[in-house]
């Protein structure tokens, strides 16, 4: 994959995410794109990855290859939480100086649910929100403005608040074959030769 930021020379609203993020805890696969027609898409790390303090929580945002992330999609990490087991939701340990607390107790201010992981060829719709600890399977589609609080199976279509399964993109057997095929790992030359087969659903041509 080339190191160019923009997949299209005429489109400055879409970027290859891998080539614009700098935080090593954001692990982005080849050809994954982000489109933003409101803000500079190169600022994805600042505007779309929220409450992310990897030095405290060791959390990662992991995206596979060929994902499509729509404008305003956000990934919300652990520090957005307030500890539900506490009798007070106020995050006292964060303000350790004010309350004379041990700064090391800051992690006790939230419930840590872990990494956000996207498989390959995932489509995240406009202004969708993905919460901490969620894994989204290969080929899944997240509807516009959905709030995803639970794992999403491969090739599922989910939507709503909270997001629920709407349907599967394909019958189970086709989903299984696509996962086994793992076309996203093919060499570029092979993939380029089969783009029409992918677009037109000619699975038999991909398995020869």
């Amino acid at each position: 994959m080339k190191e160019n930021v923009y997949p299209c020379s005429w489109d400055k609203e879409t970027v290859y995410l891998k080539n614009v993020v700098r935080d090593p805890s954001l692990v982005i696969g080849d050809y994954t794109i982000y489109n933003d027609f409101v803000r500079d898409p190169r600022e994805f790390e600042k505007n779309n990855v929220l409450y992310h303090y990897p030095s405290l929580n060791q959390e990662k945002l992991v995206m596979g290859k060929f994902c499509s992330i729509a404008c305003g999609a956000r990934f919300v990490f652990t520090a957005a939480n307030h500890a539900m087991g506490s009798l007070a939701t106020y995050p006292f340990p964060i303000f350790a100086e004010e309350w004379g607390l041990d700064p090391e107790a800051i992690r006790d201010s939230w419930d840590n649910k872990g990494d956000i992981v996207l498989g390959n060829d995932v489509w995240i719709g406009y202004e969708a929100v993905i919460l901490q600890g969620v894994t989204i399977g290969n080929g899944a589609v997240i509807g516009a403005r959905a709030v995803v609080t639970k794992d999403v199976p491969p090739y599922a279509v989910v939507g709503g608040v909270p997001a629920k399964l709407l349907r599967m993109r394909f019958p189970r057997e086709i989903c299984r074959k696509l996962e086994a095929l793992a076309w996203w790992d093919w060499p570029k030359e092979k993939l380029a030769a089969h783009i029409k087969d992918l677009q037109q659903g000619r699975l038999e041509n991909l398995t020869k």
Side-chain angles (χ1 to χ4, degrees), residues 150-187:
K150 298 180 180 180
D151 291 354
V152 177
Y155 292 98
V157 179
V158 304
V161 182
K164 296 181 180 180
L165 177 66
L166 302 178
R167 62 181 177 88
M168 298 300 294
R169 289 180 58 196
F170 309 110
R172 182 178 299 178
E173 182 61 19
I174 291 180
C175 295
R176 187 191 64 78
K177 287 182 178 180
L178 284 169
E179 288 224 79
L181 195 66
W183 59 262
W184 41 81
D185 289 330
W186 288 359

Side-chain angles (χ1 to χ4, degrees), residues 42-114:
R42 295 173 297 178
E43 297 296 320
F44 173 87
E45 189 173 334
K46 173 185 176 181
N47 297 326
N48 302 78
V49 184
L50 308 181
Y51 298 97
H52 183 236
Y53 306 116
S55 61
L56 288 174
N57 296 311
Q58 290 83 49
E59 299 165 313
K60 292 183 178 181
L61 171 59
V62 180
M63 297 185 189
K65 302 175 184 177
F66 295 97
C67 294
S68 303
I69 315 299
C71 181
R74 288 174 170 81
F75 302 84
V76 181
F77 279 89
T78 288
N81 289 338
H82 292 222
M84 295 296 287
S86 171
L87 297 180
T89 61
Y90 192 81
F92 287 103
I94 292 178
F95 309 111
E97 293 177 350
E98 177 73 20
W99 297 98
L101 301 175
D102 181 358
E104 294 298 319
I106 190 170
R107 293 184 190 178
D108 296 334
S109 295
W110 44 67
D111 299 319
N112 194 334
K113 296 185 179 180

